[in-house]
Structures are given as structure tokens and as C-alpha cells.
Amino acid sequence: MASVKVRFEPEGKTVEAQPGETLLDVASRAGIYINSLCGGQGVCGKCRLKVKSGSVESSSKGLGFLDRKEIDAGFVLACQSKIKDQDVEVWVPPESRQEDEQILMTDNILHYDQPETSDQEPASAGISYYQPLSQKYFLNLPSPTLEDNISDLDRIFRKLRKRLPETRLQSDFSCLRGLARLLRDNNWKITATVHSTEPECFQLQSLEAGDTSGLNFGVAIDVGTTTIVAQLIDLRAGKVVGVEASHNQQAHYGEDVIARMIFACSRGGLDPLKNAVVTTINSLINSLVVGSGLAFDDITSFVAAGNTTMTHLLLGLEPCTIRIDPYIPTATRFPWVYAREIGIQGHPRSVLHCMPCVSSYVGGDITAGVLACGMNDRPELSALIDVGTNGEIVIGNNEWLVCCSASAGPAFEGGGIKCGMRATKGAVQKAWFHNGRLRYETIGGASPRGICGSGLIDLMAELLAAGVIDQAGKFATNAHPGVRVVDGISEFIVAPAAESESGEDVVITEDDIGNLIKSKGAVLAAMKVLIENLGMSFNDLQKVYVAGGFGAHLDIEKAVIIGLLPDLPKERIQFIGNSSVAGARQSLVSSFAYRKAEAIAKQMTYFELSVHPGFMNEFVAALFLPHTQMELFPTVRAFLNERAASRR
Amino acid sequence: MASVKVRFEPEGKTVEAQPGETLLDVASRAGIYINSLCGGQGVCGKCRLKVKSGSVESSSKGLGFLDRKEIDAGFVLACQSKIKDQDVEVWVPPESRQEDEQILMTDNILHYDQPETSDQEPASAGISYYQPLSQKYFLNLPSPTLEDNISDLDRIFRKLRKRLPETRLQSDFSCLRGLARLLRDNNWKITATVHSTEPECFQLQSLEAGDTSGLNFGVAIDVGTTTIVAQLIDLRAGKVVGVEASHNQQAHYGEDVIARMIFACSRGGLDPLKNAVVTTINSLINSLVVGSGLAFDDITSFVAAGNTTMTHLLLGLEPCTIRIDPYIPTATRFPWVYAREIGIQGHPRSVLHCMPCVSSYVGGDITAGVLACGMNDRPELSALIDVGTNGEIVIGNNEWLVCCSASAGPAFEGGGIKCGMRATKGAVQKAWFHNGRLRYETIGGASPRGICGSGLIDLMAELLAAGVIDQAGKFATNAHPGVRVVDGISEFIVAPAAESESGEDVVITEDDIGNLIKSKGAVLAAMKVLIENLGMSFNDLQKVYVAGGFGAHLDIEKAVIIGLLPDLPKERIQFIGNSSVAGARQSLVSSFAYRKAEAIAKQMTYFELSVHPGFMNEFVAALFLPHTQMELFPTVRAFLNERAASRR
């Protein structure tokens, strides 16, 4: 069928679309971020758009979220509106935009499709997909009488059953203490926080005086080896209302995971590491609470996503056996725990769930990533690449998932790079040559302080394309006036001292480039070994999701040029940012999503690279820009040839 | 069909039986106590008998519990062997007898039938009826390899699933801490204690080094207002291995429930009462542990049965609203809790379940009693009468249960009686006139110290039959040389000072008899109001189970003579002793029984006597021996007339 044009305002972006596609899908492809909590089910009402010209075919589902006036004005739900055979112009209102686009360490997750099979649907009609792990219910209870003389607890359960039919309701014992007085002192008006502990099983988590149901917040935490990111979520609206990030204070005890494991397994080493990560998290929570004018008591729930070792350290579990053949973690699925037991600040009865892990070297961050990109829900073959200190790769679809892990080093997070830094204010996040001069853009438009992952990728690709470095990552002699040699090492001045915040040059060195090549080589080699072991090649991948803390943006084309990503058509590759925190957030907001993550972790098959004889060869072959086998990167080869020709 | 004779050895008792009856049923009717943990399901193998002459029809079920030699010798399971049309002689071996027949504060519960409906059967084939609330499993785990590299926790779960198929397995978070080291330090040999938290749902409760599965003990506790009884149960065998009883130390703060509630609800009153009952229980546990040579760590689980107020106080819940119109408890079903949280001593991860209550005035002791006597499993109309400080009555069958409660006072527990005492060593537990002289029997054959409930009932009936007291409970003038007047109050010398332990006369006074009449009157009146409100009369009751701390024995005929129990054929009335501790024990030993208790509590309808206009009239009418309406007690009337005539 002939494609039509869809124009998005206020961006002014126009993309081609096929009749039958939903506006939400088209927006996603166009890079227009639209809120969607429910995954396109028409049950959250967050993806409202206004159709300005042309018309779409809207299903009746979700119409309840729009009032008469809005419908007359042309408002529709993006997920419930399909393109017809005509061009359309739509306007995305501010409230439907992804919040905090400016905030770093966020993610570009739009939505994920629901599985087609009905057996994964929530069984109870009364529980919507949008049921946070901890939900608050204001209860205005009738006073007891001689005729209506059930116990206080049963009175609460009776009321809750109207909201949560066909579920099992239990109570934490602590909710009983002082309950009689709580109810009577507050005229039978209380707020119950209910915790989804199992499918269709809910537990009274806490009871509070009066109506506090307007304040139900959760914190989604990406527990990275290098960086910890925490998002404060208004669970009522499913909205991100704050985000904070900082270095993991565990770095005092070791730069990388291995060093931390060794420290943790020395005598008395576990507690300091646990305390360091808890302290880091608490300082982020404190900033979030202060910044939003909330109280700790307003936080009812936490979901943490981290690699297997980080999850063990957070929970105070010894990670020692993870490091030693045969690489066994204490657990991959973790029972929920009261946050207070771990030392995390929130409501005294707030709960902490950790995202389930797959194995010692594929952690909850990856499970969260798969959940966030939704590759497990779709039939097409997809890959998820998470580039952190470890590079993890998942390949699969709605029927199977395999994964592997390769040690990538911290280079793309700014570690081991002379002027490397994480993606915060002042980091060079974009760079390009303009008339032979390097231009750059920093986060927040501030004076440059260093270079973050996306900036490093841009720089390598630009330096390569401009012939300033060769395919081995070595600086070519006299290729550019920005190149100089300091202490015997070539480097390129990205921002001169006069422009930088510190008053010193911001540079990228040949050693930096060498480290980055090793990092990207490890990731690509792992991906290649994995897919070839499946009897397939890169070209079979219909979709590649790229996650990682590169920064707020990642130039996909440049990541392909340096050979970090395979040479596939650009539209098949999507940068999804911090998918770890995104999956944690989805789980906080939807207990159904959390159950799905459990299923993902269970389903995923781990492929142990370290015992694979071909990996080292592939790694060595990938230590080139983009790769020693240039036939794997035909587009890049053509591009580099063309640029080289233009210089001659 | 013609009845046959069954003779039980070594008792030498012969009873008539109908072909088709099981040996277990016949033994029960004969008052021969035979172990049966599974309720006659043929799955516990405890009810072994030897057929000495004649033959029975034995089903193949449960034959696995007997070896070839035993079968050849004539051993059968009593529950799986039906009477044929011939006389039989059987021998009950010592191991099949109820343990601790000598021990006081025990119960005469034999077994209870399973419900006929299949929906209450355990769903999983792998879980037998005999699955304690906390069960230990010794796990000899295979060491992990690169090929078998699941997590430590999953390794444990994988092994447990072979024993507990088709169940949900969870872990308490605490089991993860130190797990890696525990497994490796103990060569992968550990013992898992698994706690049944919900139907078909199990939770890892604790993990221990090596094989401790041979030591799994529980404590069943009857938390009475006056007396607390604790039975130590070997959960592996379902055997009572020790029992201890003592006064509830809460008595310091008030004699009866009302006084304790008032104290608990004064400022700071709750903690002392909670601590008093916990201290009492801990001292009993300590005696049990010391007496049996066990360690506290061997105790994995507790089940406590108490009235609603006692349960609240034990758990530290304010009982204040129980006492005040409209009489609302905080809860009637109580979440399980770690015993340590309540302050009870056992394994640090031992769990405490409280038997579910029905209402403010029908508690978990009554639920336990119904469970123990099994009236809820049978179609015939039955009643359970529990005579404690409160008298509780349950009437119903396998389709419905109604209950009520009447304040009986502590007289039958020896409270408010001049020489009253609880049923311990030295208590007069039986009394009778022989040639005009009173004879008595004390518990343990010791010198008399006082009179317990069963002794008081005997005395009243004997004094009435002998014309020493009249039907109003007043001493007749010069009726017996044992009667004297002290301080203006008539009394009867039960044991002269020369025989008693203290060297003072053991007596029963006219005031004592008045108190006992009020107690028995309240119980009978409550029962009468309840059954008449159901449109029935005493005669419709096919079975009356009598529970309470009267002592080890209760003479049913004498309880009828004084009008405590209705005038029914003797075989319809059964004294079952402390059914509260029996129900708690059954729940400890079988999580299925505990679920059944939850269903019983839910099913029972509470009938509030205090608002019933007819109760006070019935109470007044019952303040007579046996009753003012003598037509209600035709047998007693005939007996008293006959005795009176013999004196003339």
C-alpha cells in the first residue's frame, strides 16, 4: 500500500507511514517521545495527541480518557489511532511529552507491546495493567455496629476487595499493631498501601491516618558499577518527577567489578561495599526528596536494577563465588525486602524489589533492558546491546532469548579516558568537523569539562572520517593542527584551555582511542560470536536497541562508523538510553511488568563467552576502525573511501 | 445387619460393632485411644493393630507402612480395616496408644474425619496430609559445574521441588545472607526448613548446616485466661513428647478477661500483659526443652490457640474495643509472625501461627476445638461445649456452624472456689459415696491439696444424689456428719486435715456450690437459647463434645446430674479434654488442618447472647440442680426420685 506522510508539531518533523500503523508507532519511529505507561493498551490515557489535519481511525478503547470537548477538538489516543490512506498532521501537547527531556541519565523508552498470548494477561478484571508494586487506597470505612461487627482488619479487606476483586489479600503483621486506635482516632478514614507480592496476591504494606493516597512515590534505581541513577516516580501518574545520578561510592574500594568482588571477599570487606552503595543511593533519594518537596514517608517502593554483583552487594550477599569457576551467584531472583532492612531511606514500611538476574554475568540491568525495549514481546529478531563497564548482548524474540556478556571496560562511561567524564553538565556530548575545525556541544551548554561516551564516539568517528586517525586508531602525522604530542603520546585538542571550565585543554589521546577500540571491539566481537553461534548474521537482526550511559544522545551512524554497532540500515538501530532504570521504572509502575521481567530472566539462556574458543580471534579482528573484515561494514567502507577520496 | 463383638486387648474391653465400621471408629467408641495423625486417611501409618482372632476386611491403602513379617503376624491399620460379620479380637501395641495418658492438661482427641468433598483435599500429589506447617528437608546437593551453573538458591529450589512438586516456593530474604559460604563450608549438605504460608505455597524459613532433619519440633500452646498449656511435638512423628502447664502470669494484672482488658487499655498497660503471657510461655518452653534434652533451635514452629482477647494480648494488639459495644477485635485471622518478634524463644527463624478467631467472644481456642473434634466434617448435628472462664458453645455439622459465648466464671477451673485448684498433682478429681462415706481420688495419687473441676462436678452430683444438698444447692440440715458450719457458711469436708497435704481440711462450701451453679447455669442456658433459636431441641443433638480444663477425666453422668450438660443418652456425650491444645497440635502437624481451621472460623456464625432477651430468663431457670424445668432432665429426675425413695 502506498505510504502516507505524518507531520508532528511542534517539532515540524515529517515521516512516512503505512496505513494501519498506530500514531504511537509512527511517533516512536520519528523519534518523537510520547508518554505511554500502559504499553499501547489504551488503558493509561497518557498518549493524547490532537489531529490538526487529515483523519485517523480511532478505536473506541480509551475514549473514556477524553471528554466531549477534547474529542470535538480532535484529540485522540496515539496508541488507539491508526493511519488511514491520507496524510495527517498532529500536534503533541506538552503533557503527552516525555518528561525531563533535559535530564541526563534518562532513557528513550517509549512503550512496549503487550504479549499477544492471553495467558500473560492479568487474570483479574479489577486489576489494571497499571497497578504499581505498591499502591495506595484511601478507605472511608463505615463505623462498626452490632449488626456489622467484623474485625477491623476484615473491614479494611472488605473495602479493598471492591478495588481488588479476585485476589488474595494478606496483611503484614505490623499493620495490626495500633490498628484499633488508628481507625478510631481518624474517624475510620485511613490510607492503605497494598503491595503486590505475587501474581494476584496483595499484602497490606502499611496503614496511615487520613488520606495520603495523593502522595505515592517510588524510586527506580540503576545500580551501575560506575554510576548510580535514581528516578523519582509519581506512581499515581506514572510520571518521572525527578532524577539524580552520581558515582557509585564503592569506587573507593575498586574501580571495576572484579576489584570490588576481591575487596568484598576479603575479611570484613562486604559491609563497607554494601554501605557504600546504600550511602550513594540514600544521598540520591535525599536529593530527590528535597528537590521535590516530598517527605521520605511518601516513598512506598523501590526497584533496583543492577548487574548480578551489584545486586548482591546492595543486598549484603557475598559475591565471591560469582568470580570463580563455575561462576555461581547466591541467587538470580531475589525475594523482596523491606528497604529499611537494607538501610535504604523511605517510608519505614517501604519495599525494595531487585530486578531478577539471568546468571553471574547477565544481571537485572539486562532483564530490565529487555523489559524496557520489549524485544521479548515481538516476533522479529532483535538485539539489545548494553554498553557499560560490561557489555551485555541479548538476541532473541518473543519465543527465545540468548545473552552473553563481555568485559568492555569503563571507557564509554568516561573511565580510563584522560578527559573522560560521565554524562553530566559540561560534558562534550556531540562533536563534528565544520570546515576543518572541530565543533562541539556540551551538556547544558556549559563550558566543557570533559568528554562523555557519546562525545567520544563522535570524536573517534569524526577523526577517522577526517583522516586525523587511521583505522588502527593512530594519529596520522600532520593530519590536523589540533594534533600534538605530549609526553610521547599523540592527542587531539577538543576544546582549548580558553574555552574549558578548568582552564586546561580538553583532549582525546591515542591511548584513549586505544582503550575505546578495545571496548567497542569486545562488544562487537561478543555480538558476532553470539549471533553466528545461532547460525545467523548481523543482517538477520530486524532491530538493534542500544542502551548505556553514553549521554542523553547517541549518534547511531557514528557508532557504526567506529564499529561499535553493526553496519545495518539506520532505522533498524535505536538508542534507548538507560534501559536499566527504564525497566526498573516500568516494574515500579506495573507489577505486571515486574512479573514479566521475572519471566524474561527465567527464559533467557546464558551463553558463556569465556569458554568459547572463537571469541579471542573475533576480539582481535574487531580491534580496528570499524573492523579488520571491512566487508562486514560495506556502508562504512564506502563512506570512508569517499571521504578519503575527497581529501586527496 | 446383626452386630458383632470386638474385643480390645490388653484392656479386655468388648464392644458391639456393625459390619462395615472401621476398627478405628469402634476403638474410638470403646474409649480405646489409638494414634491417628492423618484422620483415618491411611497415610500416617500410626494406627497399627494386631488381629488376634477373627478377621477384618483391610484395604490395600497404607499397607506400605507394614512389612511382610508384620502382615503375616496379623498387623493391620485400624483406619483401613472394616469389621466383617464375625467377632474379632485385636491387640493394641504400645506404639499405637495415645502418648502421655498420664499427663494432665491433655486431650482425648482421637482423630477427625476428612471432609468428603474433594475440593478441600490438598491439590498436590506430592504434599501429603501430614505436612507440618514447618517441615525440614535434608538436601545433599550436587556441586555446581560450568554446565550446571544455576544459582545457589535455585539449586536448593530444584531439589526441594522433587519433594514439593506443583507448589510455589519462595525464600525469606534472610536465607540468602551467608548462603554461598554455608553451602560450600558444608560440602553442599544442608537442611532446609520450609514453611507453609498459604495453600500450596511454601517459603524457605531457614537453612542450616548438615543434616538436622531428625530434629524438628513444634510447640502447641493453649493460651487460656487462667492456665497456659504447652505441648512439645516431634513433628517428624506427630508425637507429643512433652507437656507443661502453668498459671497465666497475667493473673497479676487481673483475675478475668475483663479485668485484663481494663488493665491493658490503661496507659502503658498493654506491654506488661503481653510480657506476662510471653514470659509464661517461655518458661513452659524452657521446661519442655530442658526436659527433653533438646535445644531451642530444634523448635521450628508454634501454634497458639487462645480466646480473642488472649490472642490479642499475646500479639501485642490492643484488646480495648473487644470490650465495648459493638465489640470489635482488631483481627480474627492473624498473619503468621516470627516467634522472635513476639519474644517467644525457639529457633531464631521459628514461626508463630495463631488459631483464627470467630469474633470478639469466640476465639481461636474454639476454632481449635471444632477442628479437634471434627464436628465440621460430619453430617450429624453436634455440639461442642468448652467450659472455661467463658463457656463457649458451637452447634452445627458439615454444612453450618453457629456459636455463642456465655460468661461462666472460673469456677470449673477452680477459681472462686474455697479449695478449688487446677487439675494438677494432688487435686481431687473423682469423688463418690461408699457406704455413706465420701471416697476420693487425687491426681497422681498424692495427698489432697484441693479440688479441680471434675472433682467439683462429682462432689455436687454425689451430694445432691445423697440428699446432702438440695436442688437449690443448699445443705440440708443434719443430712450428713461431714457437713458443718464455719463462719455462718455450711460446708462439707471432702478430705480431713489428717489426710491433706497442708494439714487443713479440704472442703466444698455452700458458696462454692452457688458459684458452680451459676457457672453451669450460664453454660446450659446459652446452649438452650442457641439450639432453640435454631428451631431445635437438645434431643436433636447426635453428639455433644465436652472440652475444658476440668482435669484428666470428666464423669459425663455426673455432669448431666448437676445440669451442666443436657440429659442425653450417655453415648452421645464425649469428653475430649483440652481441645484447644489438640487443635493447635493438629495444625502444627498438618498445614492442611490449619487451613481447615481458617475455613471453620470463616464459616462459623456468631450469635450474640447479650442482646438476646430470653437469655436472662433461661439463666435464672438453670440456677437449680439440674434445672427448674425438670422435664428437661427426665433421667436425672427418675434417678433423684429413686435415690430419695431409697433414703426414706
Side-chain angles (χ1 to χ4, degrees):
Chain A
M1 218 181 287
S3 64
V4 300
K5 285 194 167 60
V6 181
R7 182 178 167 87
F8 289 93
E9 293 293 353
E11 279 87 345
K13 256 195 190 169
T14 302
V15 287
E16 300 219 326
Q18 294 296 319
E21 284 191 286
T22 67
L23 278 174
L24 189 64
D25 288 338
V26 177
S28 161
R29 220 179 45 243
I32 307 286
Y33 304 127
I34 298 176
N35 283 331
S36 170
L37 297 169
C38 68
Q41 296 298 295
V43 295
C44 77
K46 299 289 171 199
C47 62
R48 295 139 47 103
L49 302 181
K50 184 178 175 178
V51 177
K52 289 180 72 180
S53 74
S55 72
V56 293
E57 191 187 323
S58 291
S59 85
S60 60
K61 201 173 172 188
L63 273 186
F65 292 106
L66 303 168
D67 62 28
R68 192 70 250 159
K69 223 169 112 189
E70 288 171 316
I71 292 169
D72 289 344
F75 274 92
V76 297
L77 293 190
C79 71
Q80 297 300 315
S81 301
K82 289 180 174 171
I83 303 295
K84 300 201 290 191
D85 56 351
Q86 57 177 256
D87 295 350
V88 199
E89 195 179 335
V90 297
W91 176 73
V92 186
E95 71 268 24
S96 296
R97 296 178 168 280
Q98 194 186 43
E99 311 80 8
D100 309 308
E101 247 187 295
Q102 295 347 305
I103 295 174
L104 302 176
M105 313 310 285
T106 185
D107 53 83
N108 300 343
I109 302 301
L110 307 177
H111 72 287
Y112 60 102
D113 298 338
Q114 289 286 92
E116 321 249 322
T117 52
S118 63
D119 62 342
Q120 287 197 52
E121 294 288 332
S124 295
I127 308 166
S128 79
Y129 177 80
Y130 174 55
Q131 168 83 33
L133 280 172
S134 290
Q135 178 71 302
K136 283 187 174 181
Y137 296 97
F138 170 60
L139 307 178
N140 188 352
L141 300 167
S143 305
T145 63
L146 278 177
E147 289 68 42
D148 176 21
N149 60 355
I150 58 173
S151 76
D152 290 347
L153 184 63
D154 284 340
R155 190 166 301 273
I156 291 167
F157 279 178
R158 184 174 67 184
K159 195 82 166 189
L160 279 174
R161 283 211 183 284
K162 295 186 180 161
R163 314 277 283 273
L164 294 165
E166 291 168 58
T167 59
R168 281 191 305 135
L169 272 170
Q170 299 175 312
S171 174
D172 185 90
F173 178 71
S174 69
C175 291
L176 267 58
R177 288 235 169 92
L179 175 57
R181 193 158 292 183
L182 176 75
L183 288 169
R184 287 159 185 84
D185 287 353
N186 293 285
N187 202 23
W188 301 90
K189 291 175 180 62
I190 59 160
T191 300
T193 304
V194 172
H195 174 211
S196 170
T197 54
E198 287 280 311
E200 288 144 66
C201 185
F202 293 86
Q203 187 178 42
L204 271 191
Q205 175 181 326
S206 63
L207 297 171
E208 293 175 321
D211 185 359
T212 69
S213 64
L215 293 167
N216 185 20
F217 291 83
V219 178
I221 311 165
D222 168 36
V223 187
T225 306
T226 309
T227 303
I228 297 184
V229 182
Q231 287 185 344
L232 180 66
I233 318 293
D234 181 345
L235 296 172
R236 239 165 34 120
K239 272 178 74 164
V240 180
V241 293
V243 58
E244 293 284 342
S246 76
H247 276 297
N248 187 339
Q249 291 178 28
Q250 286 180 338
H252 299 306
Y253 303 98
E255 186 66 23
D256 60 18
V257 176
I258 301 295
R260 305 234 187 119
M261 281 197 266
I262 291 169
F263 187 90
C265 300
S266 63
R267 186 180 297 272
L270 182 59
D271 281 351
L273 281 178
K274 177 185 179 260
N275 294 341
V277 64
V278 168
T279 303
T280 309
I281 291 172
N282 279 340
S283 79
L284 297 178
I285 296 168
N286 192 61
S287 300
L288 289 169
V289 165
V290 169
S292 56
L294 294 175
F296 284 112
D297 273 6
D298 299 328
I299 301 177
T300 59
S301 44
F302 297 87
V303 173
N307 68 44
T308 310
T309 300
M310 284 300 123
T311 307
H312 276 60
L313 291 175
L314 172 62
L315 295 175
L317 306 176
E318 286 177 347
C320 317
T321 55
I322 292 177
R323 195 171 66 88
I324 301 159
D325 184 336
Y327 316 112
I328 307 296
T330 294
T332 49
R333 292 167 293 143
F334 304 91
W336 67 266
V337 64
Y338 287 109
R340 196 167 53 170
E341 278 189 52
I342 302 298
I344 290 178
Q345 285 189 296
H347 188 284
R349 306 300 300 174
S350 59
V351 295
L352 167 68
H353 287 253
C354 288
M355 295 300 286
C357 302
V358 177
S359 70
S360 276
Y361 287 103
V362 178
D365 48 348
I366 302 307
T367 308
V370 172
L371 177 72
C373 74
M375 60 186 286
N376 61 307
D377 287 334
R378 286 188 287 270
E380 74 254 26
L381 190 72
S382 305
L384 168 68
I385 307 175
D386 190 349
V387 184
T389 308
N390 257 338
E392 283 105 347
I393 292 127
V394 185
I395 293 178
N397 56 25
N398 57 354
E399 292 185 351
W400 54 269
L401 294 166
V402 296
C403 59
C404 71
S405 168
S407 180
F412 286 113
E413 296 177 292
I417 303 296
K418 186 171 182 185
C419 295
M421 68 179 284
R422 64 192 178 88
T424 53
K425 200 176 167 190
V428 171
Q429 66 172 345
K430 289 188 184 183
W432 64 96
F433 279 111
H434 182 75
N435 293 333
R437 268 197 62 191
L438 189 83
R439 302 292 176 90
Y440 59 85
E441 179 188 298
T442 61
I443 293 176
S447 297
R449 293 169 54 214
I451 316 166
C452 71
S454 60
L456 291 167
I457 290 168
D458 277 12
L459 277 168
M460 281 173 78
E462 288 289 316
L463 292 173
L464 178 67
V468 181
I469 57 172
D470 62 18
Q471 284 186 272
K474 304 295 176 196
F475 280 99
T477 321
N478 301 325
H480 192 279
V483 180
R484 67 183 180 197
V485 177
V486 174
D487 297 336
I489 295 164
S490 298
E491 62 183 30
F492 182 85
I493 301 166
V494 178
E499 293 172 15
S500 80
E501 199 202 44
S502 66
E504 292 185 25
D505 294 334
V506 174
V507 302
I508 182 169
T509 72
E510 205 167 87
D511 282 356
D512 293 344
I513 292 169
N515 284 336
L516 287 161
I517 287 176
K518 275 184 226 149
S519 283
K520 76 95 194 170
V523 172
L524 193 90
M527 194 171 174
K528 190 158 178 285
V529 169
L530 187 61
I531 199 154
E532 288 177 356
N533 259 274
L534 293 165
M536 289 182 274
S537 71
F538 287 142
N539 272 320
D540 293 310
L541 293 171
Q542 299 305 304
K543 195 86 191 177
V544 176
Y545 300 96
V546 186
F550 300 105
H553 301 283
L554 173 72
D555 190 319
I556 296 294
E557 279 171 284
K558 289 178 178 165
V560 172
I561 287 170
I562 66 163
L564 169 63
L565 299 177
D567 192 353
L568 293 172
K570 190 190 169 189
E571 63 275 14
R572 291 207 212 164
I573 305 179
Q574 187 182 346
F575 175 56
I576 57 171
N578 188 334
S579 61
S580 172
V581 78
R585 186 181 70 225
Q586 289 180 355
S587 297
L588 261 182
V589 166
S590 161
S591 61
F592 181 62
Y594 186 73
R595 309 289 167 238
K596 194 190 274 189
E598 293 184 316
I600 289 168
K602 218 166 169 179
Q603 181 191 1
M604 227 186 295
T605 308
Y606 179 60
F607 182 86
E608 178 63 63
L609 276 185
S610 69
V611 298
H612 192 275
F615 177 71
M616 195 42 76
N617 289 340
E618 287 293 349
F619 175 58
V620 171
L623 295 178
F624 207 64
L625 297 172
H627 200 275
T628 50
Q629 295 167 264
M630 285 303 286
E631 63 277 17
L632 281 175
F633 286 82
T635 315
V636 179
R637 178 167 58 184
F639 168 74
L640 291 179
N641 286 344
E642 179 202 323
R643 294 298 303 270
S646 76
R647 283 198 300 276
R648 278 195 289 268
Chain B
M1 219 181 288
S3 64
V4 299
K5 285 195 167 56
V6 181
R7 182 179 167 84
F8 290 93
E9 291 294 352
E11 278 88 348
K13 256 195 191 170
T14 303
V15 287
E16 302 222 320
Q18 294 297 320
E21 283 191 285
T22 67
L23 278 174
L24 189 64
D25 288 339
V26 177
S28 162
R29 219 179 46 241
I32 307 285
Y33 304 126
I34 297 176
N35 283 331
S36 170
L37 298 169
C38 69
Q41 297 298 295
V43 296
C44 77
K46 299 287 169 201
C47 62
R48 297 140 46 103
L49 301 181
K50 184 177 176 180
V51 178
K52 291 180 71 180
S53 74
S55 73
V56 293
E57 191 188 322
S58 289
S59 86
S60 61
K61 202 173 172 186
L63 273 186
F65 292 105
L66 303 168
D67 65 28
R68 192 71 249 161
K69 223 171 110 190
E70 289 172 317
I71 292 169
D72 290 342
F75 275 92
V76 297
L77 294 191
C79 70
Q80 297 299 315
S81 302
K82 289 180 176 170
I83 304 295
K84 300 200 288 190
D85 54 351
Q86 56 178 257
D87 294 350
V88 199
E89 195 179 335
V90 299
W91 175 72
V92 186
E95 70 267 26
S96 296
R97 299 180 166 277
Q98 193 183 45
E99 312 79 8
D100 308 307
E101 246 184 296
Q102 288 0 296
I103 294 174
L104 302 177
M105 314 311 286
T106 186
D107 52 83
N108 300 345
I109 302 302
L110 306 176
H111 73 288
Y112 60 104
D113 298 337
Q114 288 286 91
E116 320 251 319
T117 52
S118 63
D119 61 344
Q120 286 196 54
E121 294 288 333
S124 296
I127 308 166
S128 80
Y129 177 81
Y130 174 53
Q131 167 83 33
L133 281 171
S134 290
Q135 178 71 300
K136 282 187 173 180
Y137 296 97
F138 171 60
L139 307 177
N140 188 353
L141 300 167
S143 305
T145 63
L146 277 176
E147 289 68 41
D148 176 22
N149 61 354
I150 59 173
S151 75
D152 289 348
L153 183 62
D154 284 340
R155 190 167 301 272
I156 291 167
F157 278 179
R158 185 174 66 185
K159 196 83 167 188
L160 279 174
R161 281 208 184 288
K162 294 184 181 162
R163 313 278 281 274
L164 294 166
E166 291 169 56
T167 59
R168 280 191 306 135
L169 272 171
Q170 298 176 313
S171 173
D172 185 90
F173 178 71
S174 68
C175 292
L176 268 59
R177 288 233 169 94
L179 175 58
R181 192 157 294 180
L182 175 75
L183 288 170
R184 288 160 185 83
D185 285 355
N186 293 284
N187 202 23
W188 300 90
K189 290 175 182 59
I190 58 161
T191 300
T193 305
V194 172
H195 174 212
S196 169
T197 55
E198 287 280 309
E200 289 144 66
C201 185
F202 293 86
Q203 188 179 41
L204 272 191
Q205 177 181 323
S206 62
L207 297 172
E208 292 174 322
D211 185 358
T212 69
S213 65
L215 293 167
N216 185 18
F217 291 83
V219 179
I221 311 164
D222 167 36
V223 188
T225 307
T226 308
T227 303
I228 297 184
V229 181
Q231 287 185 346
L232 180 67
I233 318 293
D234 181 345
L235 297 173
R236 238 163 36 119
K239 274 179 72 165
V240 180
V241 293
V243 59
E244 293 285 341
S246 77
H247 277 296
N248 186 338
Q249 291 179 28
Q250 285 181 339
H252 299 305
Y253 303 99
E255 187 66 23
D256 59 15
V257 176
I258 301 293
R260 305 234 187 116
M261 282 198 263
I262 292 170
F263 187 90
C265 300
S266 62
R267 186 181 297 274
L270 181 58
D271 282 350
L273 281 177
K274 178 187 179 258
N275 294 341
V277 64
V278 169
T279 303
T280 310
I281 291 172
N282 279 340
S283 79
L284 297 177
I285 295 167
N286 191 62
S287 301
L288 289 169
V289 165
V290 169
S292 56
L294 295 175
F296 284 112
D297 274 7
D298 300 328
I299 302 177
T300 59
S301 44
F302 297 88
V303 173
N307 69 44
T308 310
T309 300
M310 284 299 123
T311 308
H312 276 60
L313 291 175
L314 172 63
L315 295 174
L317 307 176
E318 288 177 347
C320 316
T321 55
I322 292 177
R323 194 172 66 87
I324 301 161
D325 183 338
Y327 317 113
I328 307 296
T330 292
T332 49
R333 292 168 291 143
F334 304 90
W336 67 267
V337 64
Y338 288 109
R340 193 166 57 168
E341 279 189 52
I342 302 298
I344 290 177
Q345 284 188 296
H347 188 285
R349 306 298 302 171
S350 60
V351 296
L352 167 68
H353 287 254
C354 289
M355 295 297 287
C357 303
V358 176
S359 70
S360 277
Y361 288 102
V362 177
D365 48 349
I366 301 308
T367 308
V370 172
L371 177 72
C373 73
M375 60 186 285
N376 62 307
D377 286 334
R378 287 188 286 271
E380 73 255 26
L381 190 71
S382 307
L384 168 68
I385 307 177
D386 190 348
V387 185
T389 309
N390 257 339
E392 284 105 346
I393 292 127
V394 185
I395 294 178
N397 56 24
N398 58 354
E399 292 186 349
W400 54 268
L401 294 166
V402 296
C403 59
C404 70
S405 167
S407 180
F412 285 112
E413 296 177 293
I417 304 295
K418 188 172 179 184
C419 295
M421 66 179 287
R422 62 193 180 88
T424 53
K425 199 174 167 189
V428 172
Q429 64 172 348
K430 288 187 183 183
W432 63 97
F433 277 110
H434 183 75
N435 293 334
R437 266 195 66 189
L438 191 83
R439 303 290 176 90
Y440 59 84
E441 177 189 301
T442 60
I443 294 177
S447 298
R449 293 169 53 214
I451 316 165
C452 71
S454 61
L456 291 166
I457 289 168
D458 277 12
L459 279 169
M460 281 173 79
E462 288 289 317
L463 292 173
L464 179 66
V468 182
I469 57 171
D470 62 16
Q471 286 186 269
K474 303 295 176 198
F475 281 98
T477 320
N478 301 326
H480 194 278
V483 180
R484 67 181 181 200
V485 178
V486 174
D487 296 338
I489 296 165
S490 300
E491 63 184 29
F492 181 85
I493 301 165
V494 178
E499 294 172 12
S500 79
E501 198 200 46
S502 65
E504 292 185 23
D505 295 334
V506 174
V507 300
I508 182 168
T509 73
E510 203 167 271
D511 282 357
D512 293 345
I513 292 169
N515 283 337
L516 288 161
I517 289 178
K518 275 184 227 150
S519 283
K520 76 95 194 169
V523 172
L524 193 90
M527 195 174 176
K528 188 156 181 285
V529 168
L530 187 60
I531 199 153
E532 287 177 358
N533 259 273
L534 295 165
M536 289 180 276
S537 71
F538 286 143
N539 272 319
D540 293 311
L541 292 171
Q542 300 304 305
K543 195 88 192 177
V544 175
Y545 300 97
V546 186
F550 300 103
H553 301 284
L554 174 71
D555 189 319
I556 295 294
E557 279 172 283
K558 289 180 178 167
V560 173
I561 287 170
I562 66 163
L564 170 63
L565 299 176
D567 192 352
L568 293 171
K570 191 189 169 189
E571 64 272 17
R572 290 205 212 165
I573 305 179
Q574 187 181 347
F575 176 56
I576 58 172
N578 188 335
S579 61
S580 173
V581 79
R585 186 183 69 224
Q586 290 182 354
S587 298
L588 260 182
V589 165
S590 161
S591 61
F592 180 61
Y594 186 73
R595 309 288 166 239
K596 195 192 274 190
E598 293 184 317
I600 289 168
K602 219 168 170 176
Q603 181 191 0
M604 229 186 293
T605 308
Y606 179 59
F607 182 85
E608 178 63 62
L609 276 185
S610 69
V611 298
H612 192 275
F615 177 70
M616 195 42 75
N617 289 339
E618 287 293 351
F619 174 58
V620 172
L623 295 178
F624 206 64
L625 295 173
H627 200 275
T628 50
Q629 294 167 261
M630 286 301 287
E631 64 276 18
L632 282 175
F633 287 82
T635 315
V636 179
R637 179 166 56 185
F639 169 73
L640 292 179
N641 287 343
E642 179 203 320
R643 294 299 301 270
S646 76
R647 285 197 299 276
R648 275 196 290 269

